[in-house]
């Protein structure tokens, strides 16, 4: 599905403020953005952990986080890929990149973490250069998801995996900032449809519902970048030449 129509709620007295918060979550700036970064590193710890577990990067892998925000997700990804691995974070917010750089100073100095100021629709990485992509709390802003997912598949190697976390629509509808047009909301069916529309094969898509406590439910989706027809599965013996 593309050109998604965002959910807009009834006008409330505080609508402008909630809309401002929704916009800050989409693109944190200034003092408010800095404060939100501190809050996100705490509140989004569980979703980040669940998404990294679902992606299950292997030691030595190269992982890209779309919307690395204040840097908790890239820190977890670094721990998973170990000293031989590489992690890239891409974010459009300079404020978030500075926070992520501070949080992950050592990995950056070792040359294992690369933080890029950029946008999801033009990723600053070569084709097929990434084993896994993390996208935690960012798909809400994919109102035109087809181009973003096409770009994600371009940088993923064949057989590489994507893990997406979103808080589910039923929970998000309770939060006023998510009802002012900034956020796209997802049921499991809608999340599946978005990934399918972005070129991930149906049979590779898996959606799991997770409880984060306090009545908050999240969705973790994983999907695999198709391999070109004729490529051997990893580990499978190549066919003998006759
Ligand atoms: C709600 S925050 C989530 C941050 C982090 N993944 C987490 O879970 O704590 C969304 C992040 O995605 C970034 N973002 C949103 N749309 C983007 C785009 N089109 N290109 C690059 N970054 C984007 C924002 O700047 C922000 O840092």
């Amino acid at each position: 599905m593309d050109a998604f129509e965002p959910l807009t709620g009834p006008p409330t007295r505080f609508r402008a403020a909630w809309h401002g918060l929704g916009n800050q979550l989409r693109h944190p700036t200034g003092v408010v953005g800095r404060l939100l970064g501190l809050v996100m590193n705490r509140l989004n710890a569980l979703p980040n952990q669940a998404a990294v577990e679902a992606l299950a990067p292997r030691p030595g892998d190269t992982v890209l986080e779309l919307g690395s925000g204040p840097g908790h997700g890239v820190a977890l990804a670094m721990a998973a890929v170990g000293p031989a691995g590489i992690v890239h974070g891409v974010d459009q917010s300079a404020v978030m990149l500075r926070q992520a750089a501070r949080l992950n100073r050592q990995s950056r100095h070792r040359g294992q973490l690369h933080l890029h100021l950029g946008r999801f629709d033009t990723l600053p990485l070569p084709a097929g250069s990434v084993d896994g992509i993390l996208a935690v709390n960012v798909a809400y802003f994919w109102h035109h998801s087809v181009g973003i997912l096409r770009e994600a598949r371009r940088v993923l190697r064949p057989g590489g995996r994507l893990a997406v976390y979103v808080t589910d629509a039923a929970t998000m509808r309770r939060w006023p900032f998510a009802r002012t047009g900034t956020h796209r909301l997802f049921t499991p069916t809608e999340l599946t449809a978005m990934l399918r529309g972005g070129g991930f094969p149906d049979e590779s898509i898996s959606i799991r519902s997770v409880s984060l406590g306090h009545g908050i439910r999240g969705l973790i989706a994983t999907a695999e970048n198709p391999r070109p027809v004729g490529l051997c599965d990893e580990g499978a013996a190549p066919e003998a030449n006759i």
Side-chain angles (χ1 to χ4, degrees):
M1 192 199 329
D2 208 15
F4 168 80
E5 188 76 25
L7 177 73
T8 52
T12 71
R13 256 173 74 202
F14 303 111
R15 187 181 164 82
W18 290 124
H19 186 65
L21 177 57
N23 267 328
Q24 277 285 344
L25 289 166
R26 184 182 56 79
H27 190 159
T29 55
V31 179
V32 176
R34 287 210 292 279
L35 289 173
L36 269 182
L38 300 178
V39 173
M40 281 195 278
N41 260 343
R42 282 182 68 86
L43 293 188
N44 295 342
L46 280 180
N48 274 292
Q49 191 184 328
V52 172
E53 281 171 15
L55 187 67
R58 291 171 302 189
D61 272 0
T62 297
V63 169
L64 161 66
E65 180 171 18
L66 297 177
S68 40
H72 189 65
V74 287
L76 295 176
M78 269 318 315
V81 299
I86 297 284
V87 175
H88 295 272
V90 172
D91 204 292
Q92 65 186 355
S93 161
V95 170
M96 289 298 95
L97 286 182
R98 277 197 292 275
Q99 289 193 351
R102 261 200 303 279
L103 188 68
N104 296 282
R105 199 174 288 127
Q106 288 179 358
S107 315
R108 281 190 74 227
H109 285 162
R110 282 197 306 268
Q112 287 184 269
L113 172 63
H114 305 274
L115 295 169
H116 310 264
L117 184 65
R119 291 184 52 82
F120 303 152
D121 47 11
T122 46
L123 294 170
L125 295 175
S129 60
V130 162
D131 299 296
I133 296 184
L134 271 180
V136 180
N137 286 314
V138 295
Y140 317 120
F141 312 113
W142 296 355
H143 295 293
H144 297 275
S145 51
V146 170
I148 290 171
L149 290 170
R150 189 191 303 123
E151 181 66 352
R153 288 198 298 106
R154 181 187 69 79
V155 301
L156 263 185
R157 67 166 168 77
R161 296 173 77 237
L162 165 74
V164 176
Y165 169 89
V166 288
T167 300
D168 80 2
T171 302
M172 292 289 281
R173 280 195 197 98
R174 303 204 304 258
W175 297 340
F177 68 82
R179 299 203 308 260
T180 66
T182 52
H183 283 58
R184 173 179 182 175
L185 306 189
F186 294 94
T187 61
T189 308
E190 287 159 343
L191 191 52
T192 305
M194 179 185 76
L195 294 173
R196 188 190 299 131
F200 287 92
D202 236 352
E203 64 279 8
S204 80
I205 300 172
S206 136
I207 309 272
R208 192 162 54 85
S209 176
V210 289
S211 169
L212 302 182
H214 308 288
I216 299 170
R217 293 208 73 85
L219 301 173
I220 304 262
T222 53
E224 191 176 304
N225 200 24
R227 295 163 199 265
V229 178
L231 263 193
C232 288
D233 278 349
E234 204 172 300
E239 281 180 31
N241 274 333
I242 303 176

